[in-house]
Structure formats: structure tokens, C-alpha cells
Amino acid sequence: MTTNIFPSYQRIASRIPLAFSRRSFRSCEKYIILLVFITFGLVCFGTLFFLPEFRNSATRSESVYRVYDHFKRAAPELLIPPPPLENSRESPKLLRHEMDTQGEDPHLVGDREKFRAKIEQDSELKVLERPDIGRFYRKTSTPSNQGKQGHIYESGIVTIPPAISDHYPLITNGEDGDPDIRERRNKIKEMAQHAWDNYVKYAWGKNELRPISKRGHSASIFGTMPLGATILDGLDTLYIMGMEKEFKQARDWVANELNLDQMANDVSVFETNIRFVGGLLSCYALTGDVMFRDKAQQIADKLLPAFQTPTGIPYAIVNFKTGMSKNYGWASGGSSILSEFGTLHLEFGYLSDVTGNPIYRSKVEKIRQVIQKTDKPNGLYPNYFNPKTGKWGQHHMSMGALGDSFYEYLLKVWIQSNKEDNEVRQMFDDAMEGVFKHMLQTSTGGLMYFADLKFDRPEHKMDHLACFSGGLLALGSKTLKNHMSDKYMDVGKGITNTCHESYDRTYTKLGPEAFRFTEGAEARALKSTEKYYILRPEVIESYFYLYRLTKDPKYREWAWEAAQALEKHCRVNGGYTGLKNVYTEDPQQDDVQQSFFLAETLKYLYLIFSDDNLISLDEWVFNTEAHPIPIKGVNPYYRESIV
Ligand code: DMJ
């Protein structure tokens, strides 16, 4: 008997193996084999559905539509237009080509035609405009075919030119006709280059620069993390000054490095809004690069948890990661601050318009409703408001710290709405009536100033911050003729003059943080804690408005005095520094280059020495950090969302 190590399939009958004589399978074996084949077939068939082409076709087509929809909303111009109709203007070209290719397979001819049309379309794209960096459009220029296309440039910047426009506003360059003025402006640009280059060299990605110790710096308003505050705040200045290379570098940092998701950082809602959201929205308006809009939206979304209060008045501080929000411990029994919650409307309203998401506007409209219906002592707005009880805190009022930009936005939101939001214009006029009646003073030496009010008593002190109001009032006067217009202009000029005096009465010719009016001194700081200058813009800002609105050359002269003083006392090898005491011959330096130096101080200086059409006040409104926001219905760079 042969032994076999392998199992035998011999049949056994009564324990006796039967001879293996069968030629076919038994029926149950056939079933098993059939079953194996069927299973194999099914597995093969099922695998087809895991191939990329077939996988999840329903969700796939939905996601294709989602992407399409996203593009349609974000950049309708990027979608390839439908092929020309037979009778369209393109058809002669097709007919001519059809004649050339008679006798060929009509399908191949059709494909070749489509391919050719695509190439033509692509080469048309190549001749479209480069980004607007370093160029400018005059009001008289006519719209080109770029009005209908989205552009992707070599730099990777995507721009959507204004859709409907009969002119392009001037947004870069804009030189003045006078060669001396041009020379001054070149100097300001060189200052910006110095400030920027040193930030890049020593503090890239950090919030601010320490120009003497040559390293990064961060103020508490930015929390503890490096958010590139100088980049976000300085971007539009680089753009307007035509610093193309620097703008591109800053833009790429925002696109690739700025990621707030992982940042467990407590930040100021107000500062984040005016500097970051405002700066990014300006860049979106100026360039059409949707990256800026999307980043602005991501940042604004991080601020939204701060609005979850019983009244809807936001808290001052929010944590980017957790959304935990709170107010400053020092602010009148847990109050929010007027100048902070009152300085969101311009950016949040515009953000809703460019994203098509109404949530941001709804938040700021709620703020307005709440303060509208709360009684105002003597028609004035106190600096503190409790977001839980809906009541004002201490009755302190100021055109400077804690109040300032609230008043600014009452006027500017009206301007930005193309003067249609009359409610807010009325609020501005009413507020100014109260301010003029209770806070406006004239010193014995004839200087006009806004005193602070503390429980109905004037404190005869004015902050450097309050010096923005000279320009604001001039803007109010020029944008609406009403019973207040002349007064606005008089007070605007008077306040700007006083602020200039506060500079002129120092050794350095730069102004102190706050100045007082007493019997012995006018427009001078008296306390050592008020004698510093931290590169603030407000006085120069008012020179800018007054120059543009009155054309009085003295404002340019005053601006030039300030620029020279900055060069003399604040410029160091590593950038620009603030000063600890503006009254001393050789002031100590504070070793901080504030982000608003690039955003505001240098931008306003540059614009004073430019043509008036560069960021025209008829088309743009500056947010409180000098980031220009387009005026609705007037400025084709508004780029409102079409959804
Ligand atoms: C800027 O951040 C803004 O202008 C703000 O409104 C108050 N002041 C600083 C610069 O001084």
C-alpha cells in the first residue's frame, strides 16, 4: 500500500477505501466551487467601487458642487465661461477654421477647436494686468477687459479686480506735482524701508521690534504669542508705497505662517480687530486677493465668543483657543470700554459684505441698539459699560483714551455706508453736541482743547490720543453741510493747532502722551508719566485730514517738522524707537517700534506728501488704525460678495 502524507479525498465506504475512479465532482462539491466563483466575482465587482473614479460617487458629486459653489461665491470670475454660441461674435473664427479642415473627422475638428480656444483664452489671461503693486490707476482710466476675470499672477497672488466700474481709484504711487514735495515723500518712504527692513532682520514673525536691543517685542494686547503684528498692521502701507517685494514677502507669511488655531492666547478684541482684521480687509480691498479676506474672517471668528454676554456688548479680552472671554480687572466693576466695543462696526460690517455672512454685522448692530436705548448722562457717553447689567459704569468721559475711536466710528460708519446710515450720523451729531457743551474748552492763551470729564467735573488735560479729533471734525464738516458744519471745521482747526503747540513746546518737537492746561502751563505735560512719546500717529493724522480738506500748506510744513524730529530723535540703527521724555535734550529711548508706526504714522506722512487722489477721501475711509476701507456704492474696490 502506498502511504501518502497528503490528505486523501478518497471515498470511504464501511471503513474500506473505494477505488478513485470518478471523473466528475459530486453535486455538493460543484455547489461549493460555484459558490467560491460567485464570491470571487462579487469581490471583484465590489472592488471597482473603491477605485477613485467610482468611489462614493454621490458624495463626490456633492463635493464637486461644493467646490464649484465655493468658487462661484469667492471668485465667479475664475469660472471658465461657457463656449461661444454658434451665432456669437466668435463664430466667424470657427467657421474659418472649419473651412480649413474640411474632410476631417468632425469630432477631432471640434476637439481641436476647443483646445485652440482654450489656448487663446490662456494667452489672453497672460496679457492681463499684473497686481496693482507699484502701479496706479487714475480716475479717468477706463475699465479694461480685466473687469470680468479673476487673475492668478506669477507671485501666486489671486486678485479679483472690481467687477463693475467706470473708473479705478488711485491706490498706489500718486506723486505730487511739486518736486520738493516728491522729495519729502521719498524720504518718508525711505523711513518706512528702514523700519521694515529692521523688523524683517531682527524680529520677523514677532509682534514688534526692539530697535535698540535688536530683537522681538510683544505688548500685552497681543497676548504672549508671536502673531506678526507688524506684518499684519504694515501690509497695506507697503502696498500703498509700492514696496512690491516687501509686500509679497509679508503676504506669503500671512498665507503660510499665520495660524491662530493652536494659539492659546488672550488677546484684546479691539486691537485684534483694528490692526489685524482691519489690515487684512484693506489688503483684500486693495488687491482682491481672497487669502486676505479669508484670514480676516478666520480671525474675526475667533473674536465672536467675546460677544456672548447678556447684553451682546463684547468683553475686552478673548482666548483664541478656548474662546474664554473677560474684561479688564481695572475697568469700573467689570465694564467693557466704550472705545473698544464702539470700534468694531466698520470692520465687522464690511466683513459681512465681502463674505456674505451677516453674523458680523448683526453683532455690531446689536451693540448700537443697546447703547442707543440706554440713557446718556447729559447726552454724553461714559467710557465704561457693564455688559452684564446693561448699565454705564463710572461717569468718566473722554475724547482721548477709553472714548476716542467710538466717536470716530459714528462718523466713519456713516461715510462708509455711502451716507445712507442716517441713524449713526445723527448719533455722531448728537454726541458732538454734548461733547462741545461739556468738554470743549478754550485756555487763557486761546488754545482749544477737549477736557476729560470725571463725574461732571472737567479735568483740564488732553491726551495725545484725542488729537485725532481735529481731523475727524474737519471730515465731519466736509462730508455734510448742516448746522454743525462750520463749528466742526473751526473746532477741528483749533484742536489741530493745539496739538501742534503740544509738539512745538517740547525740546524734541515731538508731543507728550498727555498735556495739561493750568494757570502756569498750557499744552504741556506736567507729570513725568505723561512726558513720553511712543511714535503715535494722531497729531500727524489730523495734519493729513486738514491738509487734504483745506489745502492749507501749513499742515504739510507741520508734518515735515514731525518727520524731521522722528529722524533726529527716534531713528536708531535698528529702526525707530519711542522716547521717555520729549522735553529733554537727549531723551532716553524706550526701545519699541510700535506696529502702528508703520500702519499709521508713516502712512499718513506719506499720504500728506502725495497727490490727493492717492486713497482719495471720496472713495476710502480709514479705520482707526489707518487701514483704508472702501466706501460702499462709490468705490469699485468694495468687492461685495455676490451671494
Ligand atoms: C492706534 O492703535 C489706534 O489709532 C487706536 O485707535 C488708538 N491709538 C493707537 C495709536 O496711538
Side-chain angles (χ1 to χ4, degrees):
M1 189 178 126
T2 49
T3 51
N4 199 341
I5 57 166
F6 295 108
S8 149
Y9 292 100
Q10 273 184 319
R11 281 190 302 156
I12 303 212
S14 308
R15 297 193 178 181
I16 300 170
L18 298 175
F20 199 82
S21 57
R22 199 163 43 90
R23 290 224 176 110
S24 68
F25 294 107
R26 280 179 297 151
S27 59
C28 77
E29 287 169 341
K30 283 182 193 162
Y31 285 132
I32 289 172
I33 290 168
L34 187 67
L35 206 65
V36 167
F37 273 113
I38 291 174
T39 312
F40 181 72
L42 279 174
V43 167
C44 289
F45 184 66
T47 313
L48 284 177
F49 289 89
F50 286 88
L51 291 174
E53 280 301 306
F54 285 85
R55 198 172 73 205
N56 211 359
S57 64
T59 348
R60 239 176 87 78
S61 63
E62 268 171 30
S63 72
V64 167
Y65 276 110
R66 264 206 308 278
V67 172
Y68 173 83
D69 206 43
H70 177 78
F71 268 87
K72 201 171 69 181
R73 273 186 287 122
E77 301 84 346
L78 287 177
L79 298 173
I80 299 170
L85 295 170
E86 284 281 311
N87 297 330
S88 77
R89 276 180 292 139
E90 297 294 317
S91 31
K93 237 196 275 174
L94 289 176
L95 287 173
R96 194 191 61 232
H97 192 69
E98 264 166 25
M99 279 165 21
D100 292 348
T101 52
Q102 263 174 2
E104 283 191 40
D105 176 348
H107 296 102
L108 286 179
V109 175
D111 285 350
R112 197 176 305 139
E113 277 306 339
K114 279 185 208 152
F115 188 53
R116 186 180 291 248
K118 178 86 182 75
I119 292 171
E120 278 173 15
Q121 198 181 38
D122 284 353
S123 54
E124 265 171 38
L125 274 177
K126 276 188 206 110
V127 298
L128 291 175
E129 307 284 341
R130 282 176 51 74
D132 301 325
I133 306 161
R135 344 183 39 246
F136 62 92
Y137 299 101
R138 286 227 163 251
K139 273 183 138 185
T140 47
S141 63
T142 49
S144 66
N145 60 354
Q146 66 166 2
K148 293 280 177 213
Q149 294 282 351
H151 305 167
I152 303 172
Y153 296 100
E154 285 159 32
S155 59
I157 295 174
V158 181
T159 71
I160 308 171
I164 311 150
S165 147
D166 58 359
H167 72 276
Y168 288 95
L170 192 54
I171 55 176
T172 64
N173 256 330
E175 289 193 320
D176 193 272
D178 178 341
D180 292 341
I181 298 297
R182 284 209 295 274
E183 202 178 303
R184 287 181 176 186
R185 193 177 80 146
N186 288 341
K187 175 64 196 168
I188 306 297
K189 186 168 171 181
E190 186 277 328
M191 291 167 74
Q193 189 80 54
H194 181 67
W196 178 257
D197 286 349
N198 281 292
Y199 169 75
V200 173
K201 194 163 169 194
Y202 300 116
W204 183 242
K206 301 286 189 322
N207 288 322
E208 292 173 321
L209 164 71
R210 284 197 176 276
I212 297 171
S213 45
K214 298 184 174 165
R215 61 195 163 96
H217 165 76
S218 192
S220 61
I221 51 170
F222 304 121
T224 49
M225 314 287 283
L227 302 169
T230 297
I231 300 177
L232 293 165
D233 227 2
L235 263 160
D236 60 354
T237 301
L238 301 175
Y239 189 85
I240 290 165
M241 291 186 181
M243 294 165 69
E244 182 172 356
K245 186 167 61 71
E246 292 79 1
F247 177 79
K248 165 79 171 67
Q249 180 188 22
R251 184 261 174 212
D252 287 349
W253 185 89
V254 176
N256 304 322
E257 309 290 330
L258 180 66
N259 178 8
L260 305 179
D261 285 338
Q262 294 314 314
M263 294 197 177
N265 208 19
D266 276 348
V267 296
S268 154
V269 172
F270 157 78
E271 299 286 0
T272 306
N273 174 59
I274 64 167
R275 300 188 198 211
F276 299 179
V277 178
L280 291 165
L281 285 176
S282 256
C283 288
Y284 174 58
L286 292 166
T287 66
D289 182 347
V290 291
M291 185 279 295
F292 290 122
R293 180 199 60 191
D294 295 347
K295 288 279 180 188
Q297 186 172 21
Q298 281 164 23
I299 295 175
D301 286 346
K302 300 263 174 218
L303 305 182
L304 292 180
F307 291 76
Q308 276 160 18
T309 65
T311 54
I313 298 288
Y315 288 122
I317 303 165
V318 67
N319 186 288
F320 271 158
K321 192 166 185 183
T322 64
M324 296 265 286
S325 308
K326 58 187 178 197
N327 271 339
Y328 298 110
W330 50 262
S332 184
S335 288
S336 301
I337 311 261
L338 181 70
S339 65
E340 299 202 338
F341 66 77
T343 311
L344 303 165
H345 206 121
L346 214 48
E347 298 81 3
F348 272 46
Y350 184 50
L351 185 59
S352 273
D353 286 354
V354 295
T355 58
N357 186 341
I359 190 167
Y360 314 104
R361 190 180 285 283
S362 76
K363 298 290 179 197
V364 289
E365 279 176 351
K366 176 76 183 160
I367 295 174
R368 188 195 293 178
Q369 279 166 20
V370 171
I371 53 169
Q372 267 279 57
K373 71 167 199 267
T374 311
D375 278 347
K376 284 156 274 295
N378 296 324
L380 294 167
Y381 291 87
N383 294 338
Y384 304 105
F385 189 90
N386 191 309
K388 290 184 181 154
T389 63
K391 294 200 173 1
W392 299 111
Q394 283 168 330
H395 285 190
H396 289 185
M397 288 84 165
S398 177
M399 281 297 278
L402 311 182
D404 50 8
S405 46
F406 162 74
Y407 303 101
E408 181 180 354
Y409 274 30
L410 295 180
L411 180 69
K412 290 184 173 178
V413 167
W414 171 72
I415 293 175
Q416 201 243 357
S417 75
N418 197 11
K419 304 180 183 169
E420 282 173 8
D421 184 351
N422 291 319
E423 180 183 58
V424 75
R425 172 68 205 215
Q426 194 56 52
M427 286 171 78
F428 175 75
D429 287 336
D430 293 347
M432 287 305 108
E433 217 167 294
V435 166
F436 285 7
K437 191 159 162 206
H438 300 283
M439 295 159 77
L440 182 61
Q441 311 276 337
T442 304
S443 71
T444 37
L447 296 179
M448 247 180 217
Y449 63 98
F450 287 120
D452 286 352
L453 279 187
K454 294 206 165 147
F455 301 111
D456 291 341
R457 289 166 58 94
E459 185 185 13
H460 295 276
K461 176 207 86 165
M462 186 165 156
D463 291 335
H464 188 290
L465 288 168
C467 285
F468 83 98
S469 59
L472 183 79
L473 290 166
L475 188 65
S477 165
K478 286 288 181 176
T479 45
L480 180 70
K481 267 271 153 251
N482 68 9
H483 68 288
M484 304 282 275
S485 312
D486 293 344
K487 180 81 175 166
Y488 285 164
M489 188 50 90
D490 287 351
V491 178
K493 286 179 181 171
I495 292 288
T496 305
N497 178 60
T498 302
C499 292
H500 174 249
E501 287 299 316
S502 79
Y503 274 47
D504 206 41
R505 295 173 188 202
T506 69
Y507 179 83
T508 56
K509 303 292 173 202
L510 292 165
E513 179 68 3
F515 42 90
R516 295 185 179 259
F517 297 84
T518 64
E519 277 179 14
E522 293 201 348
R524 281 182 65 93
L526 297 178
K527 300 182 179 178
S528 60
T529 51
E530 294 167 347
K531 293 181 177 170
Y532 61 88
Y533 172 70
I534 56 168
L535 306 173
R536 285 201 192 277
E538 291 77 15
V539 176
I540 292 168
E541 175 181 345
S542 280
Y543 297 161
F544 161 72
Y545 282 105
L546 265 300
Y547 178 70
R548 282 254 172 127
L549 299 169
T550 67
K551 308 307 291 179
D552 185 336
K554 82 175 172 204
Y555 297 111
R556 272 186 163 168
E557 286 313 310
W558 290 355
W560 187 239
E561 282 169 13
Q564 287 174 300
L566 283 165
E567 281 301 89
K568 186 163 174 202
H569 299 285
C570 301
R571 186 173 180 135
V572 291
N573 271 340
Y576 288 85
T577 170
L579 307 175
K580 292 192 176 165
N581 184 345
V582 290
Y583 295 97
T584 58
E585 214 172 307
D586 189 13
Q588 252 190 309
Q589 295 165 321
D590 73 2
D591 195 15
V592 178
Q593 181 176 289
Q594 305 278 344
S595 78
F596 51 68
F597 182 61
L598 265 163
E600 298 192 74
T601 313
L602 291 174
K603 187 187 285 141
Y604 284 129
L605 279 171
Y606 184 81
L607 291 174
I608 291 173
F609 299 117
S610 296
D611 184 290
D612 282 4
N613 285 318
L614 180 59
I615 314 292
S616 159
L617 292 175
D618 295 333
E619 288 149 349
W620 302 88
V621 62
F622 290 91
N623 88 339
T624 192
E625 190 77 2
H627 297 306
I629 305 286
I631 295 176
K632 196 170 186 165
V634 171
N635 190 330
Y637 284 78
Y638 198 78
R639 304 179 196 279
E640 189 161 8
S641 158
I642 52 163
V643 272

